[in-house]
């Protein structure tokens, strides 16, 4: 490593010289956003496997047919897309256009939680179940389970973003956390026997929203760090 | 298809090489990078901020470059990465000090084949710059990125966060507006056919 004594035509201002000393090199480039998002996806998948193994598949899965697996697959796929968007947003100039990013972040959970859960025509999954218990009966059980399943991947995504340099940290962290929440929601979809949309929408959806909010808070913390870093 | 601005491409390639050397451990390469790129950054910032604020904003940009040093990937163009950081700095300064421009700077699209080549001749380049001064502040950024720095609409999208389609539309409108000013001219200063 050299000590920076080269003779540039324009002398380096003192603030930049201090910055060079504070942030040493070599500093190899980070792995591509694609590879980093695959790491997050792998952690989410591993957590999902643990969730499926410990909770067991829902007893009415055979009755639901392939639609249940399709819906779980859609959730996982959208979660993976959000991982990719989030990690790309960690690179200056590489993130998605604002309109596309907002659309993905807002549309994905809305489509999955509101449309698919409520009005899905696939297979025999009735949007209005016949559960006798109220939606709150499983809330205390499902909400913490789903958020726990989402946390490892959400926190990993946040950590990877913190090592990068997201110029839109709130969007990036929220997208990563929402992706993790959607993969966890896929697990709940395959393990929770509740059919009432008031349960799947409010309780499971509430867990997705809570994890997304956690991501937003992480993003706010990163934004503060980024703003003060260059002073 | 519009010709590529060789000088802009060459500058980007040279700066990318310096950034790679810096990442590899050559701190002196950052000084060379600063010497070469500071003028480019200040030129971009002048379209977005008051002249008296430009030197400080440029310095802050390079401080962010130091902190973000690991995020530059050698397989990607350097200038969009640099301009994205510069834009982040100037937008932050706007939020801190003023709210003059409330909108994102967006430009209308123009077809890639539109004859708005990035000028190579310094005199021509200066003529383009003077023409850009006639634009409202919110339009200068994209016009600068497209017609002075030679970035593609996709690269401008990476810098500004607007979609490539929106950028093309806005640049097309600007091109029409500036057509009389930006048409190629012959040695006598007459519009070339």
């Amino acid at each position: 490593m050299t000590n920076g004594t080269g003779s540039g035509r324009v002398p380096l201002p003192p603030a930049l010289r201090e910055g060079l000393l504070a942030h040493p090199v070599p500093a190899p480039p980070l792995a591509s956003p694609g590879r980093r998002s695959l790491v997050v996806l792998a952690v989410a998948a591993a957590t999902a496997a643990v969730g499926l193994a410990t909770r067991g598949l829902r007893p009415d899965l055979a009755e639901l047919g392939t639609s249940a697996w399709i819906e779980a697959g859609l959730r996982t796929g959208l979660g993976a897309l959000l991982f990719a968007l989030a990690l790309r947003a960690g690179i200056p100039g590489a993130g998605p256009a604002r309109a596309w990013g907002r659309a993905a972040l807002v549309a994905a959970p809305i489509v999955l939680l509101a449309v698919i859960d409520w009005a899905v025509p696939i297979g025999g999954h009735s949007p209005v179940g016949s559960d006798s218990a109220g939606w709150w009966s499983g809330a205390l059980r499902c909400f913490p389970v789903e958020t726990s399943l989402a946390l490892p991947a959400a926190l990993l995504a946040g950590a990877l973003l913190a090592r990068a340099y997201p110029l839109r940290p709130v969007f990036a962290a929220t997208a990563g956390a929402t992706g993790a929440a959607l993969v966890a929601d896929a697990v709940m979809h395959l393990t929770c026997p509740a059919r009432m949309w008031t349960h799947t929408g409010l309780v499971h959806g509430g867990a997705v929203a809570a994890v997304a909010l956690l991501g937003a808070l992480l993003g706010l913390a990163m934004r503060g760090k980024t703003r003060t870093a260059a002073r | 298809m519009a010709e590529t601005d060789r000088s802009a491409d060459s500058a980007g390639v040279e700066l990318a090489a310096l950034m790679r050397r810096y990442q590899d451990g050559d701190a002196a390469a950052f000084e060379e990078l600063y010497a070469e790129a500071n003028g480019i950054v200040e030129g971009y910032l002048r379209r977005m901020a008051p002249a008296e604020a430009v030197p400080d904003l440029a310095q802050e940009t390079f401080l962010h470059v130091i902190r973000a040093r690991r995020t530059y990937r050698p397989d990607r163009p350097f200038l969009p990465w640099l301009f994205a950081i510069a834009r982040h700095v100037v937008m932050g300064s706007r939020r801190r000090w003023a709210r003059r421009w409330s909108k994102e700077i967006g430009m209308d699209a123009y077809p890639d084949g539109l004859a708005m080549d990035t000028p190579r001749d310094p005199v021509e380049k200066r003529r383009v710059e003077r023409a850009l001064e006639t634009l409202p502040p919110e339009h200068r950024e994209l016009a600068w990125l497209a017609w002075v720095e030679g970035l593609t609409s996709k690269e401008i999208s990476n810098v500004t966060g607007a979609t490539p389609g929106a950028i093309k539309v806005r640049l097309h409108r600007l091109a029409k507006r500036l057509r009389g000013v930006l048409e190629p001219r012959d040695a006598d200063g007459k519009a070339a056919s």
Side-chain angles (χ1 to χ4, degrees), chain A residues 118-139:
Chain A
W118 191 48
V120 63
I122 302 173
H125 187 188
S126 169
V128 179
S130 58
D131 297 346
S132 57
W135 67 271
W136 59 85
S137 63

Side-chain angles (χ1 to χ4, degrees), chain A residues 5-173:
Chain A
T5 56
S7 56
R9 290 188 298 276
V10 178
L12 212 57
L16 289 183
R17 199 165 292 284
E18 289 175 15
L20 282 179
L21 293 174
H23 302 288
V25 285
L30 295 172
S32 70
R35 288 181 63 183
R36 286 152 62 87
S37 65
L38 284 178
V39 172
V40 179
L41 183 61
V43 169
T47 311
V50 170
L52 288 171
T54 55
R55 290 176 53 81
L57 296 175
R58 59 195 295 171
D60 59 345
L61 194 60
E63 177 190 345
L64 293 175
T66 56
S67 65
W69 293 99
I70 291 174
E71 291 182 26
L74 286 173
R75 284 173 167 78
T76 304
L78 280 175
L81 173 65
L82 287 174
F83 290 151
L85 291 178
L87 273 296
R88 283 182 62 87
I91 308 298
R98 282 185 170 79
W100 296 344
R102 280 195 294 264
L105 202 56
V106 173
I110 289 178
V111 167
L112 285 180
L113 298 177
V115 176
I116 292 180
D117 258 358
W118 191 48
V120 63
I122 302 173
H125 187 188
S126 169
V128 179
S130 58
D131 297 346
S132 57
W135 67 271
W136 59 85
S137 63
L140 289 180
R141 184 176 62 250
C142 287
F143 185 90
V145 168
E146 184 163 345
T147 53
S148 298
L149 288 174
L151 275 180
L155 292 176
L156 176 61
L160 292 177
L161 283 170
R163 293 196 70 214
Y165 209 76
L167 300 184
R168 286 184 281 157
V170 176
F171 162 77

Side-chain angles (χ1 to χ4, degrees), chain A residues 172-195:
Chain A
T174 305
T178 305
L182 287 176
V183 176
D185 197 66
V187 173
M188 299 304 293
H189 186 71
L190 293 175
T191 59
C192 176
R195 292 194 182 192

Side-chain angles (χ1 to χ4, degrees), chain B residues 70-161:
Chain B
R70 295 195 63 189
T71 66
Y72 172 65
R73 292 187 53 77
D75 57 341
R76 306 278 299 178
F78 179 77
L79 286 178
W81 180 83
L82 179 64
F83 285 137
I85 293 175
R87 191 174 202 274
H88 172 71
V89 168
V90 77
M91 288 301 178
S93 74
R94 287 183 186 178
R95 283 189 290 269
R96 285 199 301 270
W97 301 108
R99 291 185 180 274
R100 263 191 245 170
W101 300 313
S102 59
K103 297 185 215 177
E104 278 287 331
I105 295 180
M107 313 286 280
D108 297 335
Y110 75 106
D112 284 338
L114 190 66
M116 299 298 291
D117 295 341
T118 305
R120 306 176 190 178
D121 178 58
V123 173
E124 186 68 18
K125 192 168 182 176
R126 186 67 194 125
R127 197 168 70 82
V128 172
E129 292 178 11
R130 282 198 297 270
L132 297 187
E133 294 299 323
T134 66
L135 296 174
E138 60 269 24
H139 289 170
R140 286 180 207 155
E141 180 196 18
L142 288 179
W144 176 267
L145 290 173
W147 298 325
V148 178
E149 295 298 337
L151 269 61
T152 65
S153 55
K154 178 64 171 70
E155 291 172 338
I156 296 172
S157 167
N158 291 340
V159 173
T160 64

